[in-house]
Amino acid sequence: MTDSKSLKTPSQPIADKVQRLHRLAFLLDNAISIPGTKLCFGLDPILGLLGIVGGSGDVVGGAVGAYIIYQAAQMGIPKGVVWQMVVNILLDSLVGIVPGLGDLLDFTWKANTRNMALVDQHLTVSSPPKKGNPLFVVGITLLTVLIVLGCVFLTLWLIKTIFQF
């Protein structure tokens, strides 16, 4: 986790926001360690396992991932980096609909931790971050939410097709 002193930005509210996002990513990806090993996981794979039918757990995880992306875009993280963050959540959500494989990916991929590493890399510049373009921020948030919801509908359609409901 990054402490606020390691950020070279002069804005304390930005540092506080990044710290909160780190805690959220940690909770989703690494909060629970397996005793006697270096392995850890968070609530994201647990939500995925609990929401096996219909992908409801993956929706919650994807929604929180979308929130992290929204906050990053608001802080003025470069658009290319925000798109990379969207791809991380997209991969997590798309593979998440595959039973077994999606659960395994939730334990290993840790999209939120990856996204926060990207935020850290791009907030360590000496000049303060710019305010994100409001149209881009809203657009990227809507796109990410639509991707997550699309994964849910794809899951439901696959279940319906496979089981002939």
Side-chain angles (χ1 to χ4, degrees):
M1 208 183 275
T2 304
D3 64 72
S4 60
K5 291 180 183 175
S6 69
L7 294 174
K8 295 179 186 173
T9 59
S11 172
Q12 188 60 39
I14 294 290
D16 292 343
K17 183 185 289 190
V18 170
Q19 193 74 3
R20 284 191 304 274
L21 293 175
H22 269 289
R23 284 194 298 267
L24 185 58
F26 178 80
L27 180 65
L28 287 169
D29 292 343
N30 297 308
I32 303 165
S33 62
I34 299 173
T37 71
K38 293 182 179 181
L39 301 174
C40 55
F41 60 95
L43 293 179
D44 193 27
I46 294 170
L47 291 169
L49 287 170
L50 293 176
I52 289 223
V53 178
S56 58
D58 291 317
V59 170
V60 173
V64 176
Y67 173 75
I68 291 173
I69 293 169
Y70 168 77
Q71 291 294 321
Q74 264 196 329
M75 288 186 283
I77 298 295
K79 290 179 184 178
V81 176
V82 173
W83 282 112
Q84 193 174 357
M85 294 171 74
V86 170
V87 168
N88 286 339
I89 295 298
L90 176 62
L91 179 65
D92 188 42
S93 296
L94 280 177
V95 178
I97 66 173
V98 179
L101 182 61
D103 300 320
L104 180 62
L105 183 77
D106 278 340
F107 281 98
T108 58
W109 179 249
K110 302 179 190 268
N112 299 298
T113 299
R114 288 174 184 266
N115 285 347
M116 287 310 301
L118 290 170
V119 168
D120 288 342
Q121 286 175 346
H122 291 87
L123 279 182
T124 57
V125 295
S126 57
S127 61
K130 301 173 189 167
K131 188 84 170 152
N133 178 333
L135 187 58
F136 178 72
V137 171
V138 170
I140 204 73
T141 302
L142 288 174
L143 177 65
T144 307
V145 169
L146 287 174
I147 288 169
V148 171
L149 290 176
C151 290
V152 170
F153 288 117
L154 182 59
T155 301
L156 293 173
W157 177 79
L158 286 171
I159 290 171
K160 181 180 176 185
T161 303
I162 291 170
F163 296 109
Q164 304 284 326
F165 286 124

